[in-house]
Amino acid sequence: METPKKLVNSVSGCADDALAGLVSCNPGLRLLQGHRVILRDDLVAVRGRVALLSGGGSGHEPAHAGYVGKGMLTGVVAGAVFTSPSVGSVLAAIRVLTQAGAAGILLIVKNYTGDRLNFGMALERARSEGADVRMVVVGDDCAFATPGKAGRRGICGTVLIHKVAGALAEAGAGLDEIVEKVTAASKAMGIHGEAGVRRMKVLPADEAVETMLKHMTDPSNASHISLTPGCSVVLMVNNLGGLSCLELGIVAGAAVSRLESRGIRIARALVGCFMTALEMAGVSLTLMVVDEELLRLIDAKTMAMAWPNIPTGPATTRREEILAPMDVPGKPMDKTGTGPGAAQVEQVLERVCNTLLDIQDKLNQLDRAAGDGDCGHTHARAAHAIREWMRSRPPPAAPSQLLSCLADLLLEKMGGSSGVLYGLFLTAAARSLRDRSDPAAWADAVDSGIDAMQRYGGAAPGDRTMLDSLCAAAKALHSLRIPGADPLQVLEAAVQSAEVAAEATKHMEAGAGRASYIRSSRLEHPDPGAVAVAAVLGAVLGGLRDPLATPH
């Protein structure tokens, strides 16, 4: 048996399984026995109203079954993947709606030969049985400058026609009125995104959108859409199935920006998967020129599960940003330092920065075994940020303010989980030094910082993280609480403990962090975070002993 390449049970049954799954999850839908037809559960509500049927080949989900519901389609008829539905299924759906007492049935069909033929044949059969059935063929594609005999293809703009027709039907409009208005709406619509114009290399999003819009609105293009400055449009940015949400957002923003530069008002913007082609990595843009009446129909409420819950307001790139707070209320103002102590702080920080830059490649190499190889880059960003900060102003005089400022700086500039962990450590340590800075207070500060890292990071000593070297150093720093202890001797012992602990991590089973997803047999080197912490502590010691010396 051939191994399936997609997450399906079988190729032959995938369309049926998908429809069954949709109905299982939506109490407002029902399957028509023996057919690939989905209908509204409340067919009693159709009596005396126009019913709307659409459909086409599967593989374009959520089209079309996702648009069945009050305020949109009454039912859809699905074919196999990329295959038009059968005449028999279309006719069966028409018969059900006729028996339910519909005051006319409108078939909304995309302009593809198979769909036109099969829906058209069913329409003729139904009329011969006395049913009042009409058909609107939607051709919204702008790809071809000179459309052939087949005409413009029906693509994602069909979904907007579903919405307009559904709102009219829900409001009680008659069949003639609905046909007239959706026909007019489809003429004020264009889409671009399917293949047909030319092949080219992938462009930046802004350029790609500009290329699409220029072609859509080019008067020399026989199927162009006419946009005049001041007119209002509904914009639909459609993911064809395989585009990331990140890319889709970029394209949407570019489309809004480019349309605004042409003087076009984007009355509404719909962004998402509306009509896909399985997992095609692409995007289509649809524009519908709207007046107030059409906009009300677009905004009308619907229960169709695939129609987005969009805000009733225009899209624009010109929204005023909310001002960021300049300072935290109640936070004391930073006081810059002067004198020998301040100079020593700068020398120590410079020593730390030099050390981190010197070991950047080493940390990256260690990180490649268990992470994404960027630990050195992350610490180098911290070093560059600290240097730039010191060039802009002298560091604060008080230890508490110094650590608090460093925490803010690393949280903003360092990035990664390391930046957050250092930020947690420094923020908690700063609180312990608020009213005191004696040697014992520094031991308390380190303990407070470690507690914060463990509380939020979830790691513990022995998990093969930076905490291993940091906790080993903290244990040695407890000697600062002994009266008369020499701070530099205690710090030297802490550095030695941290270095031994960092080296010991190569024998540990990773219990936290990215390395915990790697088999221990592959972890043959020390943890880069633990090595970095030991190096920072060593740089602090070197800077305090001899600030002017060059680090090794």
Side-chain angles (χ1 to χ4, degrees), residues 289-474:
V289 179
V290 293
D291 53 19
E292 288 301 320
E293 182 186 9
L294 266 180
L295 200 55
R296 282 196 299 272
L297 297 172
I298 293 292
D299 288 340
K301 186 177 179 181
T302 177
M303 298 297 291
M305 62 185 302
W307 183 258
N309 182 25
I310 57 173
T312 56
T316 179
T317 60
R318 299 162 188 163
R319 300 194 200 284
E320 186 176 347
E321 293 183 342
I322 297 172
L323 294 177
M326 297 303 293
D327 209 338
V328 178
K331 182 179 178 180
M333 295 296 291
D334 297 336
K335 297 179 180 178
T336 56
T338 57
Q344 188 177 46
V345 167
E346 291 192 42
Q347 293 290 346
V348 169
L349 289 177
E350 185 61 35
R351 180 85 173 221
V352 169
C353 292
N354 287 339
T355 298
L356 290 177
L357 293 174
D358 287 345
I359 64 173
Q360 177 179 353
D361 292 339
K362 176 183 177 180
L363 294 178
N364 283 337
Q365 186 175 0
L366 292 173
D367 194 34
R368 288 188 189 103
D372 48 11
D374 68 345
C375 183
H377 296 320
T378 302
H379 284 80
R381 277 199 302 271
H384 289 304
I386 292 171
R387 278 182 169 175
E388 184 178 346
W389 173 63
M390 288 194 298
R391 281 196 294 267
S392 67
R393 52 168 294 172
S400 176
Q401 291 184 354
L402 172 65
L403 297 190
S404 182
C405 286
L406 287 172
D408 291 343
L409 185 68
L410 298 186
L411 286 169
E412 181 181 355
K413 301 291 187 180
M414 187 174 184
S417 56
S418 296
V420 180
L421 288 169
Y422 280 117
L424 281 167
F425 176 84
L426 292 168
T427 299
R431 283 199 297 270
S432 293
L433 294 170
R434 226 170 243 172
D435 301 317
R436 50 195 282 251
S437 58
D438 56 282
W442 283 95
D444 294 342
V446 171
D447 285 347
S448 296
I450 290 174
D451 287 343
M453 293 174 71
Q454 289 185 279
R455 184 162 57 251
Y456 295 106
D463 282 340
R464 199 181 189 276
T465 69
M466 65 169 63
L467 271 174
D468 290 298
S469 51
L470 196 53
C471 288

Side-chain angles (χ1 to χ4, degrees), residues 15-31:
D16 298 286
D17 290 347
L19 293 177
L22 185 68
V23 171
S24 297
C25 298
N26 193 324
L29 301 180
R30 291 289 184 274
L31 280 165

Side-chain angles (χ1 to χ4, degrees), residues 39-207:
L39 297 164
R40 283 172 54 174
D41 174 61
D42 58 342
L43 286 183
V44 65
V46 175
R47 178 172 295 278
R49 296 177 183 271
V50 173
L52 307 175
L53 271 181
S54 189
S58 297
H60 302 293
E61 290 73 22
H64 294 276
Y67 303 112
V68 176
K70 183 178 179 181
M72 284 193 79
L73 299 177
T74 316
V76 299
V77 190
V81 174
F82 297 163
T83 304
S84 297
S86 68
V87 174
S89 290
V90 178
L91 183 58
I94 294 173
R95 286 170 174 165
V96 167
L97 296 178
T98 300
Q99 293 168 9
I105 299 167
L106 177 61
L107 309 181
I108 302 174
V109 181
K110 301 187 302 299
N111 187 29
Y112 288 97
T113 302
D115 289 353
R116 288 200 320 270
L117 287 174
N118 290 6
F119 276 88
M121 184 68 247
L123 178 147
E124 295 299 329
R125 291 276 301 276
R127 281 181 174 173
S128 69
E129 296 173 4
D132 185 5
V133 189
R134 312 276 185 87
M135 185 165 79
V136 170
V137 178
V138 181
D140 56 314
D141 185 15
C142 288
F144 298 107
T146 53
K149 187 174 182 180
R152 298 166 64 184
R153 296 172 292 190
I155 329 180
C156 191
T158 309
V159 176
L160 293 176
I161 298 302
H162 291 164
K163 184 65 180 64
V164 170
L168 286 167
E170 190 62 34
L175 187 56
D176 290 338
E177 181 184 355
I178 295 175
V179 169
E180 178 186 350
K181 290 185 175 177
V182 299
T183 300
S186 64
K187 290 178 180 178
M189 185 168 59
I191 186 173
H192 192 22
E194 282 204 355
V197 180
R198 59 182 177 272
R199 295 177 66 90
M200 63 182 73
K201 292 182 179 180
V202 176
L203 298 173
D206 286 344
E207 294 180 31

Side-chain angles (χ1 to χ4, degrees), residues 211-281:
T211 299
M212 296 166 76
L213 290 176
K214 187 175 181 180
H215 182 82
M216 292 172 70
T217 58
D218 185 356
S220 66
N221 174 3
S223 57
H224 77 283
I225 179 172
S226 180
L227 297 180
T228 57
C231 73
S232 293
V233 299
V234 169
L235 166 68
M236 180 176 276
V237 184
N238 175 52
N239 186 344
L240 287 164
L243 207 66
S244 68
C245 292
L246 184 146
E247 293 167 286
L248 194 66
I250 294 171
V251 171
V256 172
S257 176
R258 297 288 170 151
L259 287 168
E260 283 186 325
S261 70
R262 288 167 162 81
I264 308 302
R265 179 178 181 269
I266 305 94
R268 301 288 183 271
L270 293 78
V271 183
C273 290
F274 301 104
M275 186 177 290
T276 65
L278 293 179
E279 72 279 20
M280 181 185 288

